[in-house]
Amino acid sequence: MKHVSPPNRSSEEWAEARHAWPPQIRRVVFAAPRIPELSGGSTAIVNLSDALAQLGVEVRHISIKPGMSRPTHPTFTLIPRESLHAGPTFRGASGPLGKAKALPLAAFKVVDRRLRARALRRELAGLGRETVLVFTHALARRELAAAGWQPTPGGPWLIGQHHSQFASLSDESWLIEALPRLFSDVDGFTALTDEDAGSFGELIGVPAFGMPNPLRPAGLPPRHPEKLAVALARYSPEKQLDVMIRAFSQATEAPSLNGWKLELHGEGPTRPQLEAMIESLGIADRVRLAGPTTDIQSVLARAQVNLLTSRYEGFGMSILEAADAGVPSVVFDCSAGVRSLVPQGAGLLVPPNDEEAFAASLRTLLLDPELRSAMGRAAQHHSASFSPARIAQRWGHMLARVTGA
């Protein structure tokens, strides 16, 4: 396979990744609920896709619903008319006349879904053992099955995935039944850590492998640090951004820390509640809901601390991205994936959901510039373990075991 060394990455790493990759695997297809979008799972898939393409592997994406931005790899969208299929056709249609008026739309929707399902089957037809088909979520496997696709002898190797920690299944209990049913026939399954892989493997009954997410393969801009803490997270309940805001307010009560600010970059349903909290605490001049960003590197170039207060978090791409920029994190110790990203001396792990301890840890870091600098250097050194080349190499070793190469 043709090898082109990317900028700012070791050519030796890419040579090792190329050597580890099974030569008979020439194509990888990722099937996702929606790609690309602003989520850790989607970011990880795109980053890995870029790395595999760098090795010379053909990469395709199947997105069940349209992505939120322009795709960077050839992408087939199963339901491009998402709004058309968003709800029941006959909802609100009262009486025989109303239902009769809705019939043409109902018929069109049925035909549209059938045509898209047929197109999907054509997209996957003829793919053989030179191809790996990766289901990045149970929803993707379910939708492909609903569209009439089924594995066949001599067809692609199948890999299942789950981009969150095993403990998060308690909040999505339907997956406890769905995962074994949907993935019992796959050739392998990847989870974010070895610990999670053991649990998923036991639940599903297939070989499971710990496979961390790769870093974004992008250059870093020059740093211009301000007295700024940042959060890169959805405005949603599991991220517990209300806890973060209160802890930041408490940590910066001392006059010597009043100059510090917090920016939260994301979007989601809890925005109104967070805005109200910021106003009620009287910290609107220091805490800002900055909305989503597509330029994470520029945000981190201004920051000195990264914060994460999730109730659960499979891997925490924002921790890894901050580490790559030399920014240490203060995070709740909520999963094995998070612990793998914050080794001792490279950030601060706080007991889960302990708001007082989070505020105290943050205050310690804000008061000590030498500690911030040392932890930032350690975090950046650790982030090298998650370079695209190294993760591509791990995928090569995993696929060699799965395929018997």
Side-chain angles (χ1 to χ4, degrees):
M1 287 182 286
K2 185 178 179 181
H3 169 55
V4 180
S5 180
N8 302 320
R9 295 298 180 191
S10 165
S11 59
E12 291 81 6
E13 284 186 5
W14 286 100
E16 292 169 0
R18 188 170 74 256
H19 180 74
W21 190 261
Q24 75 274 22
I25 301 299
R26 302 190 299 275
R27 182 185 302 108
V28 177
V29 180
F30 293 93
R34 191 192 302 274
I35 187 171
E37 65 173 343
L38 292 174
S39 71
S42 174
T43 298
I45 298 162
V46 171
N47 291 353
L48 178 60
S49 298
D50 292 344
L52 299 186
Q54 183 66 40
L55 292 182
V57 178
E58 178 189 345
V59 176
R60 301 185 198 171
H61 290 171
I62 295 173
S63 185
I64 304 304
K65 296 179 180 180
M68 305 301 291
S69 59
R70 183 183 298 274
T72 56
H73 294 274
T75 300
F76 174 89
T77 303
L78 177 60
I79 309 174
R81 301 179 179 90
E82 182 179 3
S83 59
L84 175 67
H85 299 281
T89 306
F90 294 101
R91 179 179 293 167
S94 59
L97 182 59
K99 293 180 179 179
K101 289 182 178 179
L103 276 174
L105 177 59
F108 179 76
K109 289 171 68 173
V110 170
V111 171
D112 184 63
R113 288 299 294 265
R114 288 179 178 174
L115 289 175
R116 294 308 299 167
R118 185 182 303 170
L120 171 70
R121 296 195 296 271
R122 286 199 302 268
E123 178 78 10
L124 295 174
L127 299 182
R129 299 310 243 183
E130 80 290 342
T131 300
V132 174
L133 176 56
V134 182
F135 302 102
T136 68
H137 194 279
L139 289 172
R141 179 67 190 268
R142 189 179 72 181
E143 290 295 332
L144 263 64
W149 177 86
Q150 292 294 334
T152 56
W157 299 94
L158 305 181
I159 301 294
Q161 287 188 326
H162 190 72
H163 283 273
S164 190
Q165 68 198 86
F166 185 81
S168 70
L169 298 188
S170 62
D171 287 337
E172 296 181 279
S173 56
W174 69 275
L175 285 170
I176 296 175
E177 181 275 330
L179 285 168
R181 176 170 51 83
L182 293 169
F183 288 133
S184 62
D185 62 346
V186 298
D187 300 292
F189 190 92
T190 73
L192 295 171
T193 67
D194 291 339
E195 180 180 322
D196 287 314
S199 299
F200 279 111
E202 185 175 344
L203 173 67
I204 301 170
V206 299
F209 306 85
M211 192 64 63
N213 293 333
L215 269 166
R216 184 189 304 271
L220 298 172
R223 284 189 54 73
H224 301 288
E226 306 169 11
K227 288 187 174 182
L228 178 66
V230 298
L232 305 165
R234 294 186 302 277
Y235 303 159
S236 54
E238 76 277 5
K239 300 298 182 181
Q240 301 188 128
L241 298 180
D242 55 335
V243 173
M244 180 187 299
I245 291 169
R246 286 195 301 268
F248 177 83
S249 177
Q250 181 180 344
T252 56
E253 285 176 344
S256 61
L257 296 177
N258 278 344
W260 282 86
K261 296 183 178 182
L262 170 63
E263 289 182 357
L264 299 95
H265 292 265
E267 60 182 348
T270 63
R271 182 175 189 123
Q273 295 93 318
L274 297 176
E275 289 175 337
M277 168 180 284
I278 292 169
E279 288 296 328
S280 67
L281 292 173
I283 53 174
D285 60 329
R286 297 192 295 117
V287 177
R288 182 168 72 96
L289 300 182
T293 179
T294 57
D295 191 0
I296 293 172
Q297 283 76 23
S298 292
V299 171
L300 291 169
R302 298 164 42 235
Q304 296 196 54
V305 182
N306 175 61
L307 307 182
L308 189 68
T309 48
S310 298
R311 185 170 69 251
Y312 58 83
E313 189 77 40
F315 193 68
M317 282 300 295
S318 65
I319 303 173
L320 186 55
E321 288 165 334
D324 189 44
V327 178
S329 295
V330 181
V331 302
F332 279 147
D333 184 5
C334 60
S335 74
V338 166
R339 286 191 292 278
S340 73
L341 296 173
V342 190
Q344 186 173 5
L348 295 175
L349 288 170
V350 180
N353 302 319
D354 190 332
E355 190 172 320
E356 295 290 328
F358 194 95
S361 296
L362 176 57
R363 185 184 303 111
T364 296
L365 201 56
L366 297 185
L367 286 170
D368 193 336
E370 292 186 2
L371 179 62
R372 290 197 305 274
S373 180
M375 285 190 165
R377 289 193 300 271
Q380 192 168 50
H381 178 76
H382 182 62
S383 72
S385 302
F386 304 93
S387 71
R390 291 190 181 182
I391 301 305
Q393 181 182 9
R394 291 184 63 157
W395 267 81
H397 288 311
M398 182 268 291
L399 290 177
R401 289 183 60 185
V402 166
T403 62

